Amino acid sequence: MNPPSNSAPDDEERGPVLGWQAQKSASTRTQITEAAIKCFVEYGYSRTTTTLIAEKAGLSRGAMLHHFPSRLAVVRAAVEHLHSKRLRAFRKSVTKPSSDGDHVRQGVEAYWSHVRHPMFVAFFELAVAARSDKELASILRPAQEAFEREWHQAAVDVFPEWRGRGEKFDLALDLSRYVLEGMAISFLTHKETERDQRVLGYLDEKIRELAGLPKLTSESGRK
Amino acid sequence: MNPPSNSAPDDEERGPVLGWQAQKSASTRTQITEAAIKCFVEYGYSRTTTTLIAEKAGLSRGAMLHHFPSRLAVVRAAVEHLHSKRLRAFRKSVTKPSSDGDHVRQGVEAYWSHVRHPMFVAFFELAVAARSDKELASILRPAQEAFEREWHQAAVDVFPEWRGRGEKFDLALDLSRYVLEGMAISFLTHKETERDQRVLGYLDEKIRELAGLPKLTSESGRK
DNA sequence: TGAAAAAGTCAAAAATGATTGAAACCGGCT
DNA sequence: AGCCGGTTTCAATCATTTTTGACTTTTTCA
């Protein structure tokens, strides 16, 4: 292999002084966890076997079991990796300066594209499996709670003027979450239609209403 | 056993002339399918093994494989059984005369309690598994489509006065479906709070708005 | 008695984790 | 520079467990 120029996927916390080339090969670990996440999306949680992960990561199974001694260890690492990745992507899409100053639309759009991303599918697979797998649930819960805290905080940041009107604010948040996630989950098995664009537009409108913002005039058509 | 007085759960289409007691023991089949459904809810789809189903049904595995030669055959029967049961329960809850003539609330309440029923959990498990299991998907699709047709028809029946205002009608339907299912799915892993009652109340209100019905005066508190 | 239901037995396949072995790389040393 | 001990990555093999479905045997009624 060529430890210096590594062809592994981009992300991995570049430890400041992580000298050894050997240690650099911790990128193999991220390769494995990313392969696991891909498998969750492609085959579902339960059908993601160690064989499959190793295959998708381009390693022998034995090599993988060197890095992660058991299947659960891989899952644990994958959950962690997925969580931080998801959080980073979400933060980025939220803090991106809105093109037209329309906070509502930007917020809805941000979460809407988030729940349509494969990472959400992977997390969803894990969440469903965790419903009847207490061990997985205990692994997943911290990440899930952390993400939800972050989600709420992001909402507060996006709508600073909303401070104090707690009840309507929470309502708008809950509504958005349920509608967008409900739609996204529905789209896992159904295909999107033009009717769904109307739902998104309606959601925008109602959030504006709850926030006490003026109606948008003639902008019925979302992209 | 006692073929005449059978302690099996209630439902099974009572064929008019299904004389043989032997054939009556087709109730064993429903016992098996119901056990399978219970397993989906309790253990999830993938962990529902034939051993587990037989165990829950109170049969030996060999006996079960006499009725259903393969695991998939059980699943097929379970899907069919679940679908008809689900459909029946839904029809019943919708056609039940509304206590106070409030169609909107009755409709929302009907679907809300439906998606909180274990049957919905079972169907949900199947739907998620079907996402990455084409064989299961082909089994599930007809039932799913049939149920959705029925759902739409029920909505039309409940709101006969809404005929013609198609766009807002569809919007109200989509919104309700996404919100209620999104909430129900969220509750599979989270616990319900008082905030969620507000979402339900808000949904009621918005449907009334879309239908052009008068606002309910002082009935903010749902049961 | 005889046909169907129920039970029990068996082998094949798949997945897991443990063990063993090979190859590359590090530092240090003469 | 070049060799050596030790470590780390990677590969391969093995035994065990689980699940499945085919098969055979026993029981139960009409």
Side-chain angles (χ1 to χ4, degrees):
Chain A
M1 293 263 179
N2 42 4
S5 82
N6 201 312
S7 68
D10 50 321
D11 79 300
E12 173 66 12
E13 355 217 348
R14 302 286 180 223
V17 268
L18 203 54
W20 331 341
Q21 292 169 294
Q23 203 74 359
K24 195 95 170 242
S25 187
S27 85
T28 304
R29 289 173 62 96
T30 76
Q31 222 176 335
I32 293 171
T33 55
E34 297 210 336
I37 293 170
K38 278 182 201 158
C39 286
F40 294 156
V41 175
E42 192 168 345
Y43 306 105
Y45 176 76
S46 65
R47 302 173 73 184
T48 295
T49 66
T50 54
T51 309
L52 213 53
I53 298 174
E55 194 176 313
K56 179 142 293 208
L59 266 70
S60 82
R61 208 178 72 88
M64 188 179 82
L65 260 68
H66 166 73
H67 293 276
F68 300 101
S70 76
R71 180 185 189 275
L72 201 67
V74 180
V75 170
R76 219 183 302 269
V79 167
E80 221 165 309
H81 185 78
L82 181 60
H83 169 60
S84 76
K85 208 171 162 184
R86 199 161 90 106
L87 203 54
R88 222 172 323 160
F90 179 67
R91 279 213 193 98
K92 192 171 142 198
S93 78
V94 165
T95 57
K96 181 174 57 184
S98 93
S99 51
D100 52 353
D102 185 344
H103 291 162
V104 174
R105 169 173 234 154
Q106 193 211 347
V108 171
E109 205 69 57
Y111 196 56
W112 176 233
S113 57
H114 173 78
V115 295
R116 291 168 57 98
H117 193 280
M119 282 190 295
F120 180 78
V121 178
F123 216 88
F124 178 66
E125 276 284 339
L126 287 164
V128 172
R131 188 187 67 84
S132 52
D133 184 337
K134 294 310 158 200
E135 200 163 18
L136 177 60
S138 72
I139 295 173
L140 201 58
R141 200 174 312 117
Q144 203 151 6
E145 286 171 358
F147 189 85
E148 278 159 24
R149 272 195 301 277
E150 187 76 15
W151 195 83
H152 191 276
Q153 188 54 46
V156 171
D157 292 346
V158 171
F159 300 102
E161 69 274 18
W162 223 346
R163 202 172 311 274
R165 250 178 300 169
E167 189 151 324
K168 283 187 178 177
F169 185 69
D170 286 346
L171 180 56
L173 253 52
D174 292 342
L175 187 71
S176 305
R177 209 167 74 84
Y178 293 140
V179 169
L180 294 179
E181 290 185 7
M183 282 181 77
I185 292 166
S186 166
F187 289 172
L188 295 180
T189 50
H190 298 65
K191 63 180 185 307
E192 191 171 352
T193 73
E194 69 287 350
R195 280 170 57 169
D196 301 306
Q197 287 302 316
R198 287 211 292 272
V199 176
L200 288 176
Y202 185 79
L203 179 63
D204 263 21
E205 188 185 318
K206 291 307 142 186
I207 294 176
R208 279 205 184 79
E209 239 175 64
L210 286 167
L213 295 174
K215 241 186 224 174
L216 279 193
T217 51
S218 65
E219 201 178 10
S220 57
R222 295 173 71 97
K223 74 130 198 325
Chain B
M1 295 277 173
N2 43 2
S5 83
N6 201 311
S7 69
D10 49 321
D11 78 305
E12 172 65 10
E13 356 218 347
R14 302 287 181 221
V17 269
L18 203 55
W20 332 340
Q21 289 170 296
Q23 204 71 359
K24 195 98 171 243
S25 185
S27 86
T28 302
R29 290 173 62 97
T30 76
Q31 221 175 335
I32 293 171
T33 55
E34 299 211 335
I37 293 169
K38 279 182 201 158
C39 287
F40 294 155
V41 175
E42 192 168 346
Y43 306 105
Y45 176 76
S46 65
R47 303 173 74 184
T48 295
T49 66
T50 54
T51 308
L52 212 53
I53 298 174
E55 195 176 310
K56 179 142 292 210
L59 264 69
S60 80
R61 209 179 73 89
M64 190 181 79
L65 260 68
H66 165 73
H67 292 276
F68 299 101
S70 78
R71 179 184 190 274
L72 201 67
V74 181
V75 171
R76 217 185 301 270
V79 168
E80 220 164 310
H81 185 78
L82 181 60
H83 170 59
S84 76
K85 207 171 162 184
R86 198 160 91 106
L87 204 53
R88 223 172 322 162
F90 179 68
R91 279 214 193 98
K92 192 170 142 198
S93 78
V94 166
T95 58
K96 182 175 54 183
S98 93
S99 51
D100 54 352
D102 185 344
H103 290 162
V104 172
R105 168 173 235 152
Q106 193 211 348
V108 171
E109 205 69 59
Y111 197 55
W112 175 234
S113 57
H114 174 77
V115 295
R116 293 169 55 98
H117 193 280
M119 281 190 293
F120 181 79
V121 179
F123 216 87
F124 179 67
E125 275 286 341
L126 288 164
V128 172
R131 189 186 69 83
S132 52
D133 183 338
K134 293 312 159 199
E135 200 163 16
L136 178 58
S138 72
I139 293 173
L140 201 59
R141 198 172 315 118
Q144 204 151 4
E145 286 170 358
F147 188 85
E148 277 159 24
R149 272 196 301 277
E150 188 75 18
W151 195 83
H152 191 277
Q153 187 54 47
V156 172
D157 292 346
V158 171
F159 300 103
E161 69 275 18
W162 223 346
R163 202 172 309 274
R165 251 179 301 171
E167 190 150 322
K168 285 189 178 175
F169 184 70
D170 286 347
L171 180 56
L173 253 52
D174 291 341
L175 187 71
S176 306
R177 209 166 75 84
Y178 293 140
V179 169
L180 295 178
E181 290 184 7
M183 283 182 75
I185 291 167
S186 167
F187 289 172
L188 294 181
T189 51
H190 298 65
K191 63 179 185 304
E192 191 170 352
T193 74
E194 69 287 349
R195 278 170 60 168
D196 301 306
Q197 287 302 317
R198 287 212 291 273
V199 176
L200 288 177
Y202 184 80
L203 179 63
D204 263 20
E205 188 185 319
K206 291 307 143 187
I207 295 175
R208 277 203 186 80
E209 239 175 63
L210 286 167
L213 294 174
K215 241 186 223 175
L216 277 193
T217 52
S218 64
E219 200 178 10
S220 57
R222 296 174 67 100
K223 75 124 196 333

